[in-house]
């Protein structure tokens, strides 16, 4: 869950997947908003401006910051009510854009307080004087809308409303309904506030079993977006013998899943997801001597507004400790993760090979010959078409011919392709930040149509060694050093030797 990524952003553990967003319930409508909407866009804009002037609290003078009474509860409730009545994403985006643009930091105050701090630094003064000037500067750097969010959080259901508001803000940014530095700054402020409210001390770890309340099982089933649950029998299997399901809830809403993690208890580190989600467990009763590994195979964030809040990281670490208590003998902890983005990256490479006629930088001569025989045409052009779908996996000859080149290309994609020095792949980045080792790449680890089209059927294991996660995480975040197994490093070396990109 950055979110996962430098931000659990969100995106299959894995990275994080989001459950489908439920329809927005009709909010209570202010008469002014209803009338404004009926009158037309300009009237609605005026109503928005009037609402913001009334609802966003003024920033008190520094000297009065602790003496000024809180705004009337009705002011914040008016904002919640008005916002809840906006049924169109464009309307909500416009209101959020106006809030970000018009009620941020007072730049004049920031400049004035900054000048004061610089002046004091050039003169010999008591430390207390300089510290107070710096405190004034910090106070000036707080945007006005933060006060609105703070007071909304005190309303009944206010934090939940702010989670939904941030989900709307992220959606509006993704759709380019609202853009700009002010909007990005407001998103960052709200994310920071949510990170405090949803820190690990306020989260409860809960385990789901077949005997959990029906409403919890229903929510868990509906929220699973990595490997969808198709029936109640499917659900029963995922919380039954040799399986575990955990979720975090907030102390204010016990029993309400925020992020959900599924675990398979196996005899070794699994290399195929179908063996976990489709095959029946060994027996109805767990035999502890058969359990040697814990496989984290799915994690889902249920609230998109919490994207980037480190819920996924907290959950993996807490569950790992929980499993160590239950199974002290357990020797292996690993994910079984998809590799989103690999097919897209590979198709881009094939496209560039197609444009540069006669150039072959991806395959060896023998591989090109074998692939040419398997596809019956120009290799880059034909593969680009075939790998865009899933039917290619029905050809045993093609599957065999692709295994060696795609394994080393995938190893390089995970290990060598970077964004600002960190792993480009969001799932790899998430686990490496957590201190895991890039352990193994699995050919035909996911033979489902979805797995074939998104990552050519490949999956990866990121292994967690509890005593080493701290140093590994520090090395990755600090020096951008990736800890990888011999298998991965060998495949990377093969890529560097055989591929000429």
């Amino acid at each position: 869950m950055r979110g996962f990524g430098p931000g659990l952003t969100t995106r299959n553990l894995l990275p994080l997947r989001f459950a489908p967003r439920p329809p927005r319930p009709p909010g209570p409508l202010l008469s002014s908003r209803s009338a404004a909407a009926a009158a037309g866009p300009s009237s609605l804009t005026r109503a928005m401006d009037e609402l913001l002037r009334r609802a966003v609290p003024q920033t008190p003078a520094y000297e009065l910051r602790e003496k000024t009474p809180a705004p009337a509860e009705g002011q914040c409730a008016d904002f919640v009510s008005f916002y809840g009545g906006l049924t169109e994403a464009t309307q909500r985006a416009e209101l959020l854009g106006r809030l970000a643009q018009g009620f941020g930091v007072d730049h004049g105050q920031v400049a004035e307080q900054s000048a004061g701090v610089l002046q004091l630094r050039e003169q010999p003064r008591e430390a207390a004087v300089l510290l107070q000037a710096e405190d004034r500067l910090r106070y000036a750097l707080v945007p006005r809308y933060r006060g609105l969010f703070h007071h909304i959080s005190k309303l009944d259901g206010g934090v939940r409303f702010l989670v939904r508001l941030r989900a709307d803000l992220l959606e509006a940014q993704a759709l380019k309904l609202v853009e700009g530095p002010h909007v990005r700054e407001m998103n960052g402020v709200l994310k920071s506030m949510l990170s405090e409210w949803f820190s690990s001390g306020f989260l409860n770890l809960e385990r789901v079993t077949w005997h959990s309340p029906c409403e919890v099982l229903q929510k868990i089933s509906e929220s699973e977006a990595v490997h969808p649950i198709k029936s109640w029998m499917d659900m029963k299997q995922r919380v039954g013998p040799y399986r575990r399901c955990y979720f975090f809830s907030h102390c204010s809403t016990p029993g309400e899943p925020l992020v959900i993690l599924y675990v398979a208890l196996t005899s070794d580190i699994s290399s195929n997801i179908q063996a976990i989600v489709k095959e029946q467990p060994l027996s109805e009763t767990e035999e502890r001597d058969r359990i040697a590994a814990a496989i984290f195979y799915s994690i889902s964030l249920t609230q998109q507004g919490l994207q980037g809040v480190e819920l996924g990281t907290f959950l993996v670490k807490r569950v790992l400790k929980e499993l160590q208590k239950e199974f002290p003998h357990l020797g292996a902890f690993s994910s079984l993760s998809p590799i989103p983005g690999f097919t897209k990256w590979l198709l881009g490479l094939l496209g560039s090979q197609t444009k540069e006629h006669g150039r072959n930088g991806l395959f060896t001569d023998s591989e090109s010959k074998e692939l040419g025989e398997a596809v019956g045409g120009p290799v880059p052009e034909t593969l680009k078409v075939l790998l865009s779908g899933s039917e290619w996996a029905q050809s045993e000859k093609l599957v065999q011919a692709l295994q060696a080149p795609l394994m080393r290309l995938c190893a390089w994609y995970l290990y060598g392709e970077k964004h600002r020095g960190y792993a480009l792949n969001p799932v790899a980045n998430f686990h490496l930040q957590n201190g895991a080792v890039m352990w193994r790449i699995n050919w035909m680890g996911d033979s489902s149509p979805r797995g074939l089209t998104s990552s050519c059927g490949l999956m990866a294991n990121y292994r967690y060694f509890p005593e080493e996660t701290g140093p590994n995480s520090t090395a990755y975040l600090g020096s951008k050093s990736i800890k990888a197994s011999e298998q991965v490093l060998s495949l990377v070396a093969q890529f560097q030797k055989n591929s000429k990109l």
Side-chain angles (χ1 to χ4, degrees), residues 264-335:
L265 303 173
T266 61
S267 59
D268 55 14
I269 297 179
S270 303
S271 60
N272 183 275
I273 190 61
Q274 276 72 41
I276 290 177
V277 298
K278 290 189 175 182
E279 293 182 8
Q280 294 296 318
L282 300 172
S283 67
E284 287 298 318
T285 305
E286 287 180 355
E287 298 178 32
R288 297 175 73 86
D289 59 350
R290 290 176 176 260
I291 298 172
I295 309 300
F296 310 134
Y297 68 91
S298 175
I299 189 168
S300 293
L301 185 66
T302 67
Q303 304 291 330
Q304 189 173 3
L306 295 175
Q307 179 182 336
V309 178
E310 293 187 345
L311 298 178
T313 296
F314 292 149
L315 183 56
V316 169
K317 292 179 178 179
R318 284 278 295 275
V319 168
L320 194 152
K321 291 180 179 178
E322 196 74 14
L323 292 170
Q324 284 181 306
K325 291 179 187 176
E326 187 178 1
F327 303 100
H329 69 285
L330 209 55
F333 300 90
S334 174
S335 78

Side-chain angles (χ1 to χ4, degrees), residues 220-265:
I220 293 291
S221 174
E222 292 172 351
S223 299
E224 171 53 18
V226 180
H227 306 292
I229 295 171
K230 299 177 181 178
S231 66
W232 280 109
M233 288 304 295
D234 193 1
M235 183 76 232
K236 185 176 182 180
Q237 178 182 331
R238 297 199 194 187
V239 298
Y242 299 98
R243 300 291 183 267
R244 295 292 185 271
C245 177
Y246 300 91
F247 68 85
F248 267 150
S249 63
H250 194 264
C251 59
S252 64
T253 55
E256 181 74 28
L258 299 174
V259 58
I260 306 160
L261 176 64
Y262 290 87
V263 184
L265 303 173

Side-chain angles (χ1 to χ4, degrees), residues 145-158:
Y145 50 69
R146 194 184 193 285
L148 174 65
F149 298 153
H150 174 71
H151 292 297
I152 287 177
S153 73
K154 298 180 179 181
L155 299 176
D156 184 26

Side-chain angles (χ1 to χ4, degrees), residues 74 136 256 349 470:
R136 286 177 176 272
E256 181 74 28
L349 293 183

Side-chain angles (χ1 to χ4, degrees), residues 422-442:
Y422 298 103
L424 173 67
N425 182 266
V427 181
N429 187 56
F430 169 74
H431 289 292
L432 294 170
Q433 283 192 47
N434 289 347
V437 176
M438 192 177 288
W439 187 251
R440 188 173 67 197
I441 297 170
N442 304 297

